[in-house]
Each structure stands twice: as C-alpha cells, then as structure tokens.
Amino acid sequence: MAYPILDCIHIEAKDGKGTATGSNLEFFASHEFDCDVELSLCVSGKRLQRVLAASTGDSITLQQDGLKLTLDDGASKCTFDLLDPKDFPVMYDSDGDDFPIPSKAIKQVSPAVCTVDTPDNAALLGVLLDHEGYAVAFDRRRVHTAKIAPTGKDAIIPTSLANILAGLDGMMRCGDKFMVAHGEKWKISGKIIERKYGNWRSLHGFKPEQEIPIPPDLCDNIRRAMDCSSNQMTPGVLFQWGKIEVPDYSVECDLDTGFAFKIDPNYFQQAIKSAGEGATLGFTNALSMFVIKQGEFMAGLMPIRLN
C-alpha cells in the first residue's frame, strides 16, 4: 500500500529555526536550517528538489497559505499543493546512553552482512552492535568483526541504515526497538531488528596455528587471475605453491601457506580491503577457517572444499 505522505518532506519552522524531515517508516532523517518565517507543511520532496535545483536566484522566499506553498526566487514563482502535516508520522526516539557512531567499524564489517532474506536469516540482515564492544556481520559463510566502544546492549542495525551510519560522524544511542544518531544539525532514527543474533563468537574466537603477512599486491593479482579465467563462474580461486590458479590461467604471488587451498575470491578481497594495509592471514589447514586480521578488525572465511 502506498502512503502519499511518505513522498513528502515535513517542514516545521518557528523562531528563526526550521527542521526538514523525511521518512520511509523504516527510518527518519531530519536536518535543521535557518528560516525567518513560520511554516508547518508537507510538500513533495522530489518536486521541491527539482525546483530548488533549477532556481537561478540568489535567495528563495517561501510563503504558505493553508495547503498552498509559493516559492519565489526573484526570477520565477512556483506553487505547490500541500498535504496536512498532522498526517506525517512521528519520528522514532530511543532511550539509552550516547556513544560515538562506530562508522569505520560498520564500514569494515558491512561486506559480510547476509543478503539472503529468509526467516532463518532474519537476524543476520544487518550489523550487530554488541554490548561488549564489537561491530559484527555474519552470513554463515564468513564473519567480520571490529572493536568499538561498549554500547551497553545489543542492537542489530538494518543494512540500509548501517550503510548511512558508515558515512557519518556523530553520536548514537540504541533502545529496545529504535536507534537514534545525531550531529550538530541532523538526526536519524530507525527501527532495529528485534531478533537474537547468530553464534558469531565461536568463529571470532578461532585461533589459527600459523600467521603470515598478506602481500600488498594480492588483491590486484586475484583480480588479474579472475579477469583472465576461461570460466568466469568458477566458485573460487586455488592458491598453491606461490600461485593463484583459475581455469586456464595462473598468476604468481608471494602468498604461500605450504598447502593448497581454495577460497571465494570476492570474500577474500573484501576482507583484505576492510582490514587495510599490514593485514595478516592466519590458517591451520585447507579445511579450517582462514583469518584476516589487522588492528581491531578480524575476518573469518571458510574455504571451499578441494575437488
């Protein structure tokens, strides 16, 4: 069912300050601005954006008359039909103590968020902010974790909201149903996933027997091997004796574990990029989990069984 009010921006202005708010019911986003008129309205966000982008004036005057809004930039005027602001949903709020938005950690772990939407995976469709101080993403085949400030309680942030938080600098707090992030002039609130997260700790606690540095050009070599492969649908790349092997092609590399193993190239590259420079690869054998680590970040990847 479509809700026309959700296509609108809710604008409230009084005493020289205004707030513009948008929502899709999953989350809200608002921003404060200076305004010397009183307004209370809901206007089409897309149409308002197009008009403002096309404006050629130095400033814009807004005038509201009931459910009509007129914009005048000195060169042209535009009138909008409005919806009743009383119908706009109320922005979510949350209790709890504020802590810094772990934007870097969320960005590092996000590649491992589960993308298969099934009832069994409902809790994995987001980033877990663990009460003990970890950001976690887990899709049953790999896990990414990064250390963060303790949050006081577990909260699973849906992927769409986590992607936004990954680019923000501010504070946030999490309650039982909602989370709120805020900065000097902006605020975002949204629903959290009310489920119990998967057993990521057993993977996080895995201790490989050996550890070696990851060569800085490894991702480039993996991409080169995949680009030259005769089978672009190959389920993995084979590492053995200092070479990366794919169907009908091989690339020499400086990674040698002393045994052959096969691993998903996309997962491997994503983990290495999330870890950054100076990462190491931990391993035990070709059947156990491989661990990429750097600083407070860790990724665990399960290998592909050799034929």
Side-chain angles (χ1 to χ4, degrees):
M1 181 181 296
Y3 296 93
I5 198 75
L6 297 181
D7 292 330
C8 292
I9 300 296
H10 179 208
I11 298 176
E12 291 283 341
K14 189 176 182 180
D15 299 329
K17 296 291 183 182
T19 302
T21 304
S23 174
N24 62 3
L25 290 186
E26 291 185 14
F27 61 88
F28 289 75
S30 69
H31 198 281
E32 295 182 4
F33 59 93
D34 296 328
C35 184
D36 57 6
V37 296
E38 289 193 10
L39 299 169
S40 181
L41 55 90
C42 282
V43 60
S44 169
K46 290 182 179 179
R47 189 177 175 207
L48 180 61
Q49 184 181 37
R50 288 197 299 268
V51 171
L52 294 176
S55 173
T56 58
D58 294 331
S59 62
I60 297 176
T61 300
L62 291 81
Q63 183 177 353
Q64 182 181 0
D65 182 10
L67 293 180
K68 297 285 186 181
L69 176 68
T70 300
L71 274 68
D72 185 349
D73 67 357
S76 62
K77 290 184 179 181
C78 183
T79 301
F80 295 82
D81 291 321
L82 306 175
L83 296 182
D84 191 337
K86 294 178 182 178
D87 294 331
F88 197 81
V90 177
M91 193 170 194
Y92 305 134
D93 203 353
S94 173
D95 56 4
D97 297 328
D98 278 357
F99 56 89
I101 298 174
S103 51
K104 179 182 177 181
I106 291 174
K107 186 175 182 179
Q108 285 180 306
V109 305
S110 289
V113 169
C114 183
T115 58
V116 181
D117 190 355
T118 66
D120 289 342
N121 289 337
L124 305 181
L125 302 175
V127 172
L128 169 67
L129 302 184
D130 179 75
H131 68 283
E132 292 184 353
Y134 287 97
V136 182
F138 172 50
D139 69 359
R140 304 188 189 280
R141 295 165 294 179
R142 56 177 169 166
V143 61
H144 284 198
T145 72
K147 201 81 174 76
I148 63 173
T151 63
K153 61 172 61 179
D154 291 351
I156 306 172
I157 311 299
T159 302
S160 57
L161 195 51
N163 289 339
I164 295 172
L165 295 177
L168 297 177
D169 182 19
M171 303 294 288
M172 67 180 294
R173 58 183 180 273
C174 298
D176 294 329
K177 294 179 178 294
F178 308 111
M179 57 73 56
V180 175
H182 57 93
E184 183 179 355
K185 289 193 173 184
W186 59 268
K187 182 177 180 182
I188 292 174
S189 67
K191 297 178 180 179
I192 62 176
I193 298 175
E194 298 179 66
R195 299 279 183 140
K196 185 175 178 60
Y197 206 72
N199 183 21
W200 62 276
R201 291 185 182 277
S202 60
L203 296 177
H204 180 263
F206 177 77
K207 303 295 184 184
E209 293 181 0
Q210 299 183 64
E211 192 174 87
I212 59 176
I214 294 177
D217 60 351
L218 185 61
C219 285
D220 291 337
N221 285 331
I222 293 174
R223 279 196 301 272
R224 185 150 55 95
M226 294 301 295
D227 289 343
C228 296
S229 172
S230 63
N231 181 6
Q232 294 296 318
M233 301 301 291
T234 181
V237 293
L238 178 67
F239 288 80
Q240 58 179 348
W241 304 297
K243 289 185 178 181
I244 303 170
E245 298 192 1
V246 294
D248 300 322
Y249 195 78
S250 67
V251 177
E252 292 188 0
C253 72
D254 294 327
L255 185 74
D256 189 359
T257 60
F259 57 84
F261 69 94
K262 201 171 189 180
I263 202 162
D264 185 295
N266 294 321
Y267 289 179
F268 202 16
Q269 291 179 88
Q270 288 170 350
I272 294 170
K273 289 178 181 178
S274 289
E277 294 182 5
T280 60
L281 177 67
F283 54 89
T284 299
N285 55 52
L287 299 178
S288 61
M289 189 171 71
F290 287 78
V291 177
I292 293 92
K293 291 183 68 176
Q294 202 283 322
E296 302 290 355
F297 172 81
M298 168 267 183
L301 310 179
M302 295 304 299
I304 298 172
R305 186 177 294 275
L306 294 170
N307 294 331

